[in-house]
């Protein structure tokens, strides 16, 4: 206790990943166990799995002592969130355009971010729940039938109680929506349980959980049908696989959260490769997003053919990092090039009063 993660790892055998994870976890009991410390451990663990795969010249999933998914391929869904729009009508038009573009690229499914109210409302929008349904219906019309293009909807914690959420979700009963993601505040487990038991649409949660044990509440008390571990946020690949095992025991579906970078996608694919009940993985298409991290952090993307991804066959996580992109986000460089950031950090470090 009291050592940093770097201090705990220096001089250790990098191939003993599970032991090192437990060492980091025990060594950060006081200041960690959840949140950013678990996220950091997840990043370290993913890097160790990449190193171990390259040491043995095998993709990481082949080192996990689990059988490959029987169909030998992974189905990604396109994560779709309009940018640079300021009205609900523009949002609907742009989202439908993204759905059409995803279909053109060959995706068989997409997740529509429809956040018009609540704590994460798009650009501070405020609109009635009827407009959410209006957009979801428009997206379904653009996508066609569920057999041709499956749609999920993420409302980003928009509703404040289960009864309000049900009024809208009941309107989607005939739209063939695969799931609704994060409809209620994360800690409203009683409300989540009510939705899971009464909604005509599957309820999905899990993007914010750090440590597999936090999924016991979601699965057993909340009754969610879809678990969404994020490999980085939950604490790494082994923690994510524990969540997958929990879901299998309860006959639930896994659709992992995986936002932003090619590194996260690569790690998620290793998990999906040995998880047969992983229906889809999240995949932010570099071709239709503005994120520099998504476009440039990795030099390669998995090969996308006929709406699916082959099981990884390159050693480790199977991606090459673009270190020039990493350098662009070096915190010392960011501080030096942004005086307002430097001033803010100086104020935070100054004595109070």
């Amino acid at each position: 206790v009291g050592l940093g993660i770097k201090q705990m790892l220096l001089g250790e055998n990098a191939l003993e990943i599970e032991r090192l994870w437990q060492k980091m976890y025990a060594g950060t009991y006081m200041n960690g166990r959840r949140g950013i410390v678990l996220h950091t451990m997840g990043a370290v663990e993913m890097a160790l799995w990449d190193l171990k795969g390259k040491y043995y010249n095998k993709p990481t999933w082949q080192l996990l002592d689990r059988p490959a998914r029987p169909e030998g391929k992974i189905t990604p869904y396109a994560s779709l969130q309009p940018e640079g729009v300021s009205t609900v009508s523009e949002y609907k038009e742009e989202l439908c355009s993204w759905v059409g573009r995803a279909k053109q690229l060959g995706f068989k499914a997409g997740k529509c971010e429809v956040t018009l109210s609540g704590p994460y409302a798009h650009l501070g929008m405020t609109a009635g729940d009827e407009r959410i349904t209006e957009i979801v219906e428009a997206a379904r019309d653009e996508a066609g039938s569920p057999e041709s293009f499956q749609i999920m909807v993420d409302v980003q914690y928009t509703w404040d109680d289960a009864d309000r959420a049900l009024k809208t979700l009941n309107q989607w009963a005939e739209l063939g929506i695969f799931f609704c993601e994060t409809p209620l505040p994360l800690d409203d487990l009683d409300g989540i349980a009510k939705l899971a038991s009464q909604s005509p649409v599957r309820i999905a949660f899990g993007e914010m959980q750090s440590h597999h044990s936090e999924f016991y509440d979601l699965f057993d008390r909340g009754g969610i049908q879809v678990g969404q571990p994020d490999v980085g946020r939950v604490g790494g690949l082994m923690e994510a696989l524990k969540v997958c095992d929990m879901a299998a025991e309860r006959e639930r579906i896994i659709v992992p959260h995986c936002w932003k970078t090619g590194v996260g996608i690569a790690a998620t694919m290793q998990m999906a490769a040995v998880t047969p009940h992983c229906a889809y993985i999240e995949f932010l298409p570099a071709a239709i997003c503005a994120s520099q991290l998504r476009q440039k952090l990795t030099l390669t993307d998995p090969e996308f053919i006929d709406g699916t991804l082959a099981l990884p066959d390159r050693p480790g996580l199977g991606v090459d990092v673009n270190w020039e992109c990493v350098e662009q986000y070096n915190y010392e460089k960011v501080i030096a090039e942004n005086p307002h950031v430097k001033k803010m950090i100086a104020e935070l470090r100054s004595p109070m009063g």
Side-chain angles (χ1 to χ4, degrees):
V1 176
L3 296 179
I5 287 176
K6 179 179 179 180
Q7 293 170 301
M8 283 187 268
L9 294 178
L10 285 176
E12 285 281 8
N13 182 348
L15 302 180
E16 297 178 0
I17 298 173
E18 294 182 62
R19 181 181 68 80
L20 294 181
W21 195 95
Q22 291 298 334
K23 181 179 181 179
M24 290 187 287
Y25 188 66
T28 57
Y29 270 163
M30 187 177 296
N31 62 336
R33 297 181 58 251
R34 300 294 185 271
I36 193 169
V37 175
L38 254 290
H39 303 167
T40 303
M41 288 171 53
V44 170
E45 193 242 36
M46 290 191 303
L48 291 175
W49 277 113
D50 186 50
L51 183 64
K52 187 170 184 176
K54 288 172 179 173
Y55 179 84
Y56 287 110
N57 197 34
K58 291 183 177 182
T60 294
W61 67 267
Q62 291 185 5
L63 303 175
L64 298 175
D65 196 28
R66 294 168 179 244
R69 56 191 299 130
E71 68 271 33
K73 56 188 177 182
I74 299 163
T75 303
Y77 73 77
S79 198
L80 308 172
Q81 182 167 8
E83 299 170 349
V85 295
S86 57
T87 70
V88 175
S89 295
E90 290 173 343
Y91 194 98
K92 178 174 70 172
E93 182 179 350
E94 185 72 4
L95 182 61
C96 288
S97 174
W98 279 45
V99 170
R101 179 69 174 133
K103 288 189 68 176
Q104 291 175 358
L105 290 171
F107 283 91
K108 298 178 179 179
K111 184 174 75 180
C112 298
E113 311 279 349
V114 187
T115 314
L116 308 183
S117 63
Y120 303 105
H122 184 78
L123 294 179
M125 286 184 178
T126 54
D129 293 346
E130 71 279 357
R131 300 303 301 273
I132 297 177
T133 295
E134 176 187 331
I135 293 175
V136 172
E137 289 175 340
R140 169 51 74 205
D141 288 342
E142 178 67 31
S145 69
E147 291 73 26
S148 63
F149 191 89
Q150 189 61 263
I151 283 182
M152 306 121 188
V153 179
D154 184 0
V155 295
Q156 297 180 321
Y157 313 94
T158 196
W159 293 304
D160 51 12
D161 68 72
D163 290 333
R164 179 184 165 202
L166 281 169
K167 288 180 182 179
T168 299
L169 293 173
N170 285 332
Q171 296 170 6
W172 304 357
E174 304 302 321
L175 297 179
I177 304 302
F178 190 76
F179 66 61
C180 178
E181 179 176 327
T182 57
L184 291 175
L186 185 56
D187 295 320
D188 183 8
L189 290 167
D190 290 339
I192 292 170
K194 183 172 183 176
L195 286 190
S197 64
Q198 298 183 26
S199 169
V201 179
R202 296 181 187 93
I203 301 301
F205 272 93
E207 63 174 5
M208 298 290 191
Q209 266 55 30
S210 51
H211 201 266
H212 76 276
S213 62
E214 295 192 340
F215 279 83
Y216 283 111
D217 275 343
L218 288 177
F219 283 135
D220 295 341
R221 184 174 167 188
I224 64 168
Q225 292 91 359
V226 182
Q228 296 182 289
D230 183 299
V231 175
R233 294 178 184 174
V234 79
L237 187 56
M238 298 307 297
E239 283 295 294
L241 285 169
K242 289 177 183 178
V243 177
C244 294
D245 291 343
M246 291 167 63
E249 291 167 1
R250 294 160 175 78
E251 299 184 336
R252 313 292 170 84
I253 300 169
I254 289 290
V255 181
H257 181 269
C258 178
W259 178 250
K260 218 53 163 179
T261 77
V263 174
I265 291 170
T268 301
M269 288 182 64
Q270 307 298 325
M271 184 204 79
V274 294
T275 305
H277 53 295
C278 176
Y280 299 94
I281 68 167
E282 184 168 17
F283 192 101
L284 180 64
I288 57 175
C289 80
S291 167
Q292 292 295 298
L293 279 175
R294 176 64 187 94
Q295 293 175 351
K296 297 182 178 181
L297 183 60
T298 53
L299 297 173
T300 55
D301 243 7
E303 191 173 10
F304 182 61
I305 300 176
D306 295 330
T308 63
L309 305 167
L311 299 190
D313 59 4
R314 297 183 63 201
L317 297 184
V319 292
D320 299 311
V321 173
N322 178 0
W323 292 105
E324 291 183 4
C325 178
V326 173
E327 183 59 28
Q328 291 179 16
Y329 294 92
N330 180 295
Y331 79 97
E332 293 179 344
K333 180 179 179 180
V334 170
I335 292 171
E337 294 179 351
N338 295 273
H340 67 283
V341 175
K342 186 175 183 180
K343 179 182 177 182
M344 180 180 68
I345 292 175
E347 291 173 349
L348 290 172
R349 289 175 175 173
S350 64
M352 294 182 65

